[in-house]
Amino acid sequence: MGQETDEVGEAIAGELRLMDAGVRVSRSLALQLLDPDFVEVGASGRRWTYAEMLAELPELGGAAEGGPHYEPSNFSGVLLAPGLVHLTYETVFDGNRARRSSLWRKLGAAGTWQMYYHQATPIPPDGM
């Protein structure tokens, strides 16, 4: 288990917001949560840049109000350094499980927590 701090709690809150369908379809809300240097390696192995993610997020899974949504569990986080949080957790989306890892950073005292890096690794159906 990681150490639960206010910073970790804020990063978890941001992570949960990014899974919300209303945020996924709103460029302005997504902009608040993604760092301009954001990079993701998705469960498919695809590498996403900040611009690609902002452009395609409304069309990706979890964006439709009545469609499948992410079911996160087992959050753990640690404050690695001032302004840098590492989260790990698992999700189920449309029957598919994945282990996830995110780095969240906050630049300056007046800054907000933004996702800097994200990686998803599929869990095989018989995986632990």
Side-chain angles (χ1 to χ4, degrees):
M1 269 313 194
Q3 76 189 63
E4 184 65 33
T5 64
D6 289 344
E7 293 91 345
V8 169
E10 289 178 41
I12 291 172
E15 195 84 43
L16 292 171
R17 286 191 67 212
L18 275 171
M19 290 182 227
D20 180 86
V23 171
R24 295 176 81 78
V25 298
S26 170
R27 183 178 175 90
S28 63
L29 293 176
L31 274 169
Q32 295 172 23
L33 294 166
L34 294 179
D35 188 282
D37 294 324
F38 171 81
V39 173
E40 175 175 331
V41 177
S44 66
R46 178 179 173 179
R47 182 181 183 276
W48 297 82
T49 65
Y50 175 74
E52 291 168 337
M53 184 57 70
L54 285 174
E56 297 187 41
L57 189 60
E59 305 303 319
L60 294 175
E65 281 293 336
H69 62 280
Y70 286 92
E71 300 172 33
S73 63
N74 301 322
F75 273 99
S76 181
V78 65
L79 181 65
L80 297 175
L84 185 63
V85 168
H86 179 227
L87 296 180
T88 58
Y89 62 101
E90 293 183 11
T91 57
V92 175
F93 179 79
D94 203 19
N96 298 309
R97 295 175 53 217
R99 289 192 177 93
R100 298 180 177 273
S101 176
S102 298
L103 289 175
W104 286 78
R105 74 177 178 179
K106 180 179 178 180
L107 299 176
T112 59
W113 286 97
Q114 294 181 309
M115 184 185 282
Y116 173 74
Y117 179 80
H118 183 77
Q119 183 160 353
T121 303
I123 302 172
D126 61 350
M128 299 290 252

